[in-house]
């Protein structure tokens, strides 16, 4: 609901050059920061890209500007950051997350690809703002909480999930040693006063067209 073209194409896992062209066209059309436009659920293009498990190159593209960094720290109306959607079970079909399910050999490469993409996307977002690892959604769950709920039916695949857990735990450990940690919700953007790389004047925009 209320999606613009940049939100909409993410469900089709577009190539990065198409996303780049669309961002440019929106800017030409007068949208100053397309990365910050939200739909009626408060989700940015980055939320949608993480939700539909787009490629790491698309995630990278959407987070390389100041607006992109802000979008990585933007919560939707359910309090979820893009990081929450990366670790959500919606990226894994139910047949892959049951302990009792026997995975056919034909599906194994597909699952490895999915988990590897999840891992690379998670590393990208955590590297941009490690403190987002602490942020709970409106259900009180962090990205790590959702990740720990996943149960894939193979130890090799589980090891990839454990790598992601380690990334989040390292980020949280680093943040705990930081001299300042003060989270507040300002609109839909989580602000961390000790992070000076983001212009606080940049804020999320509602999509009304």
């Amino acid at each position: 609901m209320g999606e613009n073209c940049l939100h909409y194409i993410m469900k089709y896992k577009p190539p990065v050059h198409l996303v780049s062209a669309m961002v440019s066209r929106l800017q030409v059309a007068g949208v100053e920061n397309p990365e910050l436009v939200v739909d009626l659920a408060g989700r940015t293009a980055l939320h949608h890209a993480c939700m539909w498990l787009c490629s790491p190159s698309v995630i990278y593209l959407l987070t390389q500007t100041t607006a992109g960094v802000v979008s990585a720290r933007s919560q939707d109306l359910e309090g979820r950051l893009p990081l929450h959607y990366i670790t959500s079970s919606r990226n894994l079909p139910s047949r892959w997350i049951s302990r009792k399910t026997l995975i056919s050999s034909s599906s194994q490469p597909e699952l490895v690809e999915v988990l590897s993409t999840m891992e690379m996307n998670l590393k990208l977002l955590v590297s941009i703002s490690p403190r987002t690892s602490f942020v709970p959604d409106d259900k009180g769950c962090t990205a790590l909480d959702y990740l720990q709920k996943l149960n894939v039916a193979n130890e090799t695949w589980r090891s990839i999930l454990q790598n992601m857990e380690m990334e989040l735990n390292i980020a949280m450990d680093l943040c705990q040693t930081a001299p300042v940690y003060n989270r507040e919700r300002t609109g839909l953007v989580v602000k961390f006063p000790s992070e000076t790389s983001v212009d606080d004047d940049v804020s999320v925009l509602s999509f009304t067209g």
Side-chain angles (χ1 to χ4, degrees):
M1 294 292 289
E3 298 173 359
N4 68 7
C5 56
L6 191 58
H7 300 134
Y8 184 76
I9 63 167
M10 295 306 170
K11 67 181 66 176
Y12 299 106
K13 297 178 173 41
V16 66
H17 71 269
L18 180 58
V19 177
S20 179
M22 193 158 289
V23 169
S24 297
R25 289 195 176 193
L26 286 168
Q27 289 171 331
V28 169
V31 181
E32 185 177 355
N33 294 307
E35 304 94 333
L36 294 181
V37 177
V38 296
D39 62 15
L40 296 182
R43 296 170 186 149
T44 65
L46 184 59
H47 281 92
H48 285 272
C50 293
M51 185 187 307
W52 295 104
L53 204 63
C54 290
S55 69
S57 58
V58 168
I59 303 298
Y60 181 82
L61 174 72
L62 292 174
T63 55
Q64 288 311 292
T65 62
T66 298
V69 174
V70 173
S71 72
R73 292 173 16 189
S74 299
Q75 292 174 289
D76 63 18
L77 296 185
E78 295 179 336
R80 292 187 175 185
L81 295 158
L83 188 61
H84 287 107
Y85 286 102
I86 290 177
T87 60
S88 169
S89 61
R90 67 171 292 138
N91 291 326
L92 299 177
S94 58
R95 69 181 185 278
W96 288 348
I97 60 176
S98 168
R99 286 183 178 275
K100 299 179 180 179
T101 300
L102 296 177
I103 310 297
S104 67
S105 58
S106 62
S107 70
Q108 291 182 23
E110 184 184 358
L111 179 54
V112 170
E113 181 180 357
V114 166
L115 292 177
S116 296
T117 300
M118 288 173 65
E119 181 179 10
M120 288 186 283
N121 289 351
L122 181 144
K123 287 181 176 180
L124 277 170
L125 291 193
V126 168
S127 69
I128 291 168
S129 185
R131 287 178 173 81
T132 54
S133 305
F134 279 105
V135 179
D137 61 13
D138 289 351
K139 293 182 179 179
C141 295
T142 65
L144 181 59
D145 292 328
Y146 284 113
L147 189 61
Q148 290 175 336
K149 292 179 182 180
L150 297 180
N151 247 338
V152 295
N154 180 288
E155 277 305 310
T156 300
W157 304 330
R158 180 62 191 163
S159 69
I160 299 177
L161 294 180
Q162 288 173 338
N163 288 340
M164 286 190 271
E165 288 184 21
M166 184 173 66
E167 288 288 334
L168 289 171
N169 280 317
I170 289 173
M172 295 174 83
D173 286 343
L174 289 173
C175 292
Q176 286 174 342
T177 62
V180 178
Y181 172 64
N182 222 350
R183 182 175 73 87
E184 64 174 290
R185 285 279 291 274
T186 305
L188 292 176
V189 180
V190 180
K191 293 194 176 183
F192 303 101
S194 61
E195 291 183 1
T196 58
S197 60
V198 175
D199 184 351
D200 286 341
D201 291 335
V202 180
S203 58
V204 291
L205 309 172
S206 297
F207 174 64
T208 57

